[in-house]
């Protein structure tokens, strides 16, 4: 387990800075489901006649081995009869030389044909399969001709009929393939053939077994005497030659080699087409098992001395677990190098149980290095990311060496930051709710990676109007700071980036709010003296008009209505003087 400490710096725009420390556990998780090939998947291994061989996986858990069967026969029509072979007419030849003789059957009509011939010629063909040194390291058994006891139901290879037999839509030339060993029928074919052994073959799943001459569909393994249910197994006696009036005609069948590959030595496999460096949705085609085609083969990545370890996932030089879609990340990886090695990337589902995407990576460097990975095209979602250090050979689909798949680290892909807006507080009024600490509005947005960082900046069209505004500790509430606000409209801008400093440049939106004026009232030193008789007014008196509110603003007093000639008023102080002369009337100040 590896622990990383991440220093998180939070700047609150209130004139001070605060620093917090966050601790994140980047546990080196392995995939909860280790990589395994699946039954029906096709893989490439070895060459025959200079052509790469594609194999079906017929069993994906046979005592630590994958059972491989060539997807197409290496020979479509091959016979085992050879006229140069010595023969015997004995039902049971000398066991020491049984594989050197053909068994020749002489019919009561005097015709003869060969029922059994040694399978050495088939094995010699299989021996011509070329296996490279690196491929040899993963084989638990070299390519071989399977026998009845290995492939039958309950046999040592653990194969059922549908696992091993070609499907019924296969062309006639490969509807059956040769098996090793000998089988016999204890019943008579029209009174003959009883206990005479012959070669054997595996029929396709829908190929009928001919019992029209009275023979049972059940046959027996000659070596063990165990019965093989022909209808359930589709395993038949296969003569080396057919009866003809001329004495015999060689019978041909397909040659389909099998092999065993070590499960523990397969690190990974990927479709052979995924070599362009783009992201590929990882899928395994298991629908073409035993269909005599080579569709969607996979290139094996096999055990070697290559190593890899995923240390960190970063964006803009800091550790992350989230990133907006169509961006890139830096993967910090420790690895060694080999022959033309690449640092490829694998994305699992959130649980780490299924591979979702694969991308052939850039050249591997020795030691710990950062690798930039473009995530363009990967949908929004929660993933686990891993890497694999693998050889790259564009000239061949044969297996290559690789490291095991690395540990996993979480990575969530989210939508980009959007819908940035400012919602002003309503009914802001001078003097009542725009003092220091009062809220004037809130900021909101959608999506983005992690905590969104908002900043208040000047709107160039309205210089300095953003002053006396700041954000509270929640980072999105705008409050008054410095001085109370006068009546008027205030314009500014808001910028936003997620915790990865995306987008760049920052998302920006214009914002404003309005502080309303209040109704001004005028009071006097002595409210009772706002009315005087002419007689009283002839005596000297003093009075001052005072406007409210007046803090923070310039107040000017003037006569705006009535008999304005009756008094004078100082425009700055509001001091009133009666001009006398017995005049009377009403004045509005």
């Amino acid at each position: 387990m590896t622990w990383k400490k991440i220093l998180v710096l939070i700047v609150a725009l209130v004139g001070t800075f605060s620093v917090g420390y966050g601790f994140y556990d980047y546990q080196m998780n392995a995939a909860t489901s280790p990589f395994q090939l699946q039954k029906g998947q096709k893989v490439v291994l070895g060459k025959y006649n200079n052509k790469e061989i594609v194999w079906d996986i017929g069993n994906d858990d046979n005592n630590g081995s994958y059972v491989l069967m060539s997807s197409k026969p290496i020979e479509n029509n091959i016979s085992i009869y050879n006229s140069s072979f010595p023969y015997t007419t004995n039902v049971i030849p000398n066991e020491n030389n049984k594989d050197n003789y053909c068994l020749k059957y002489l019919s009561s009509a005097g015709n003869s044909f060969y029922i059994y011939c040694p399978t050495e010629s088939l094995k010699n063909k299989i021996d011509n399969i070329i296996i490279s040194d690196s491929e040899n390291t993963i084989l638990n058994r070299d390519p071989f001709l399977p026998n009845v006891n290995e492939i039958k139901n309950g046999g040592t290879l653990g194969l059922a009929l549908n696992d091993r037999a070609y499907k019924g839509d296969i062309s006639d030339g490969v509807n059956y393939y040769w098996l090793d060993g000998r089988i016999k029928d204890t019943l008579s074919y029209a009174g003959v053939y009883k206990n005479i052994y012959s070669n054997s073959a595996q029929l396709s799943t829908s190929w009928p077994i001919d019992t029209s001459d009275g023979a049972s569909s059940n046959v027996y393994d000659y070596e063990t005497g165990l019965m093989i249910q022909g209808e359930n197994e589709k395993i038949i006696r296969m003569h080396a030659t057919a009866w003809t009036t001329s004495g015999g005609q060689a019978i041909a069948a397909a040659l389909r080699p099998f092999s065993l590959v070590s499960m523990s030595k397969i690190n990974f496999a990927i479709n052979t087409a995924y070599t362009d460096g783009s992201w590929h949705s990882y899928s395994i085609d298991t629908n073409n098992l035993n269909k005599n085609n080579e569709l969607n083969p996979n290139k094996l990545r096999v055990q070697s001395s290559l190593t890899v370890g995923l240390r960190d996932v970063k964006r803009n030089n800091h550790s992350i677990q989230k990133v907006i879609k169509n961006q890139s990340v830096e993967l910090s990886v420790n690895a060694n190098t080999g022959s033309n090695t690449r640092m490829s990337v694998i994305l699992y589902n959130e649980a780490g149980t299924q591979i979702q995407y694969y991308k052939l990576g850039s050249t591997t460097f020795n030691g710990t290095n950062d690798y930039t990975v473009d995530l363009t095209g990967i949908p929004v979602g929660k993933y686990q990311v891993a890497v694999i250090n693998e050889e790259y050979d564009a000239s061949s689909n044969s297996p290559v060496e690789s490291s095991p798949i690395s540990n996993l680290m979480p990575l969530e892909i989210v939508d980009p930051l959007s819908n940035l807006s400012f919602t002003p507080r309503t009914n802001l009024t001078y003097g009542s709710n725009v003092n220091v600490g009062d809220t004037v509005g809130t900021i909101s947005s959608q999506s983005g990676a992690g905590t969104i960082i908002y900043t208040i900046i000047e709107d160039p069209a309205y210089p300095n109007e953003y002053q006396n505004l700041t954000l509270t500790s929640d980072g999105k509430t705008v409050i008054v700071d410095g001085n109370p606000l006068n009546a008027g409209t205030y314009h500014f801008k808001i910028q936003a980036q997620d915790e990865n400093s995306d987008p760049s440049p920052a998302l920006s939106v214009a914002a404003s709010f309005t502080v309303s004026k209040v109704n001004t009232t005028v009071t006097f030193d002595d409210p009772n003296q706002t009315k005087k008789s002419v007689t009283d007014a002839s005596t000297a008196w003093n009075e001052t008009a005072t406007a409210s509110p007046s803090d923070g603003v310039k107040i000017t007093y003037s006569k705006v209505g009535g008999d304005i000639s009756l008094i004078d008023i100082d425009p700055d102080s509001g001091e009133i003087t009666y001009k006398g002369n017995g005049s009377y009337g009403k004045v509005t100040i």
Side-chain angles (χ1 to χ4, degrees):
M1 180 182 295
T2 297
W3 298 78
K4 283 190 174 287
K5 298 179 180 179
I6 310 300
L7 176 62
V8 181
L9 177 64
I10 303 173
V11 179
L13 298 181
V14 293
T16 61
F17 297 95
S18 63
V19 178
Y21 295 91
F23 294 89
Y24 298 92
D25 173 15
Y26 285 114
Q27 185 175 2
M28 296 295 191
N29 297 318
T32 56
S33 297
F35 182 80
Q36 183 174 351
L37 298 172
Q38 297 183 23
K39 182 190 296 185
Q41 191 171 359
K42 294 180 185 288
V43 298
V44 180
L45 180 75
K47 290 184 178 181
Y48 183 75
N49 287 341
N50 207 35
K51 179 183 180 296
E52 292 176 340
I53 303 176
V54 178
W55 307 75
D56 289 354
I57 298 177
N59 186 348
D60 57 359
D61 187 13
N62 181 65
N63 298 319
S65 294
Y66 297 113
V67 177
L68 303 188
M69 314 173 299
S70 64
S71 300
K72 285 188 173 183
I74 61 173
E75 298 284 349
N76 278 344
N77 292 280
I78 187 170
S79 64
I80 56 175
Y81 172 70
N82 187 321
S83 60
S84 66
F85 274 143
Y87 67 89
T88 179
T89 57
N90 294 325
V91 173
I92 303 176
N94 186 320
E95 289 299 307
N96 293 326
N97 62 21
K98 68 181 187 302
D99 290 331
N100 298 319
Y101 287 80
C102 290
L103 176 61
K104 186 177 184 180
Y105 175 73
L106 300 175
S107 73
S108 59
N111 297 307
S112 63
F113 57 97
Y114 294 85
I115 295 182
Y116 172 85
C117 281
T119 56
E120 294 308 306
S121 60
L122 304 179
K123 296 175 182 177
N124 290 338
K125 289 284 187 181
I126 293 175
D127 287 343
N128 288 329
I129 293 175
I130 298 175
I131 302 294
S132 69
D133 290 342
S134 62
E135 291 172 328
N136 264 321
T137 64
I138 65 173
L139 290 181
N140 283 344
R141 186 174 175 185
D142 290 340
F144 62 95
L145 182 67
N147 64 44
V148 173
N149 284 316
E150 290 172 325
I151 71 167
K152 69 178 183 180
N153 293 342
T156 57
L157 295 180
L159 300 171
L161 177 63
N162 285 328
D163 298 336
R164 67 178 188 263
Y166 280 119
K167 297 297 185 287
D169 55 358
I170 299 302
S171 63
D172 186 63
V174 290
N175 265 317
Y176 41 84
Y177 56 86
W178 290 110
L179 300 176
D180 198 13
R182 301 172 292 174
I183 59 174
K184 65 179 180 178
D185 191 338
T186 58
L187 299 177
S188 298
Y189 283 71
V192 293
Y193 307 154
K194 184 177 180 180
N195 285 327
I196 295 177
Y197 64 87
S198 60
N199 294 98
S200 57
Q202 174 67 64
L203 291 176
S204 71
T205 53
S206 61
W207 195 262
I209 293 180
D210 184 9
T211 57
S212 60
D213 60 358
S216 169
S217 64
N218 297 330
V219 291
Y220 293 81
D221 178 63
Y222 187 82
E223 312 298 333
T224 64
L226 296 175
M227 185 180 73
I228 300 166
Q229 295 180 328
E231 287 294 338
N232 294 331
E233 304 271 7
K234 299 290 184 178
I235 294 175
I236 61 167
R237 300 169 72 233
M238 189 80 165
H239 299 168
T241 62
W243 175 86
T244 65
T245 55
S246 61
Q249 177 181 341
I251 292 178
L255 177 57
R256 189 186 197 191
F258 282 48
S259 187
L260 298 181
V261 171
S262 171
M263 297 177 67
S264 64
K265 295 181 180 179
I266 304 300
N267 291 329
F268 187 49
I270 199 76
N271 191 294
T272 55
Y274 297 173
T275 59
D276 58 2
S278 300
W279 284 107
H280 291 273
S281 179
Y282 184 83
S283 62
I284 296 175
D285 183 0
T286 59
N287 295 320
N288 287 286
L289 176 62
N290 295 320
K291 288 190 176 180
N292 191 38
N293 65 46
E294 298 175 341
L295 296 176
N296 299 321
N298 289 260
K299 187 170 184 173
L300 294 172
R301 276 67 167 166
V302 302
Q303 189 180 78
S304 71
S305 60
L306 293 174
T307 61
V308 74
L310 179 58
R311 298 293 186 85
D312 202 0
V313 182
K314 299 185 290 186
R315 170 74 180 162
N316 293 330
N317 295 316
H318 73 276
S319 297
I320 64 166
Q321 293 191 29
K322 292 183 179 181
V323 66
I324 62 175
K325 67 180 181 180
N326 299 328
Q327 280 291 359
S328 62
V329 295
E330 292 78 44
L331 302 182
S332 180
V333 178
N334 182 268
N336 60 359
T337 56
S339 176
N340 196 18
T341 44
R342 301 288 190 94
M343 188 58 60
S344 298
V345 186
I346 301 170
L347 289 180
Y348 284 78
N349 61 353
E350 183 183 8
T353 56
Q354 294 180 345
I355 297 173
Q356 305 289 299
Y357 297 95
Y358 165 86
K359 182 176 186 177
L360 179 69
S362 56
T363 300
T364 301
F365 298 101
N366 194 56
T368 301
N369 297 276
D370 287 351
Y371 298 83
T372 299
V373 178
D374 187 353
L375 295 170
T376 299
I378 301 299
V380 167
K382 293 182 178 181
Y383 301 94
Q384 296 272 350
V385 61
V387 291
I388 183 169
N389 185 15
E390 59 182 8
E391 289 185 350
Y392 174 67
D393 182 2
S395 66
S396 170
N397 290 321
S398 296
V400 292
E401 294 186 349
S402 81
S403 69
I405 296 174
S406 77
N407 53 289
L408 307 182
M409 283 190 166
L411 179 63
E412 182 178 359
I413 298 177
V414 299
D415 284 317
L417 184 62
S418 63
N419 296 333
L420 177 62
S421 64
F422 174 74
T423 303
R425 183 178 173 185
T426 59
N427 300 320
L428 294 173
T429 305
Y430 168 80
S432 62
N433 54 6
V434 287
N435 297 312
V436 173
D438 287 338
T439 297
V440 296
T442 56
I443 304 169
S444 63
S445 63
Q446 292 179 337
S447 303
T451 303
I452 308 303
I453 309 301
Y454 301 107
T455 308
I456 298 173
I457 63 172
E458 182 179 70
D459 186 335
Y462 303 92
N464 300 321
E465 290 188 12
Y466 78 107
Q467 295 180 352
N468 296 326
L469 299 177
T470 192
L471 293 168
T472 60
S473 58
D474 69 0
K476 59 185 179 181
T477 303
V478 182
I479 62 172
V480 179
D481 181 58
N483 293 296
L485 301 182
N486 295 325
T489 299
Y490 294 81
H491 302 80
F492 52 99
K493 283 190 172 183
I494 298 168
Q495 288 186 339
Q497 290 181 308
D498 65 22
E499 64 184 23
N500 298 338
S501 300
D502 290 320
S504 182
L507 193 63
S508 178
V509 66
S512 66
F513 62 90
T514 298
V515 178
S516 300
K517 299 177 181 179
V518 294
N519 293 325
T520 304
T521 59
V522 177
T523 59
F524 296 91
D525 293 339
D526 183 357
N528 294 323
Q529 293 187 11
T530 57
K531 292 183 180 180
K532 285 185 177 292
S533 66
V534 172
T535 301
D536 292 337
S538 62
T539 303
W541 59 276
N542 294 313
E543 185 60 81
T544 302
T546 301
S548 179
S550 61
D551 293 341
V553 295
K554 171 66 175 174
I555 301 295
T556 301
Y557 300 92
S558 61
K559 299 174 288 183
V560 294
D563 298 317
I564 60 177
S565 61
L566 290 174
I567 64 171
D568 285 332
I569 186 167
D570 187 294
D572 296 317
S573 65
E575 184 177 351
I576 299 170
T577 303
Y578 176 57
K579 296 171 67 174
N581 299 323
S583 299
Y584 61 92
K586 183 184 291 185
V587 181
T588 301
I589 300 172

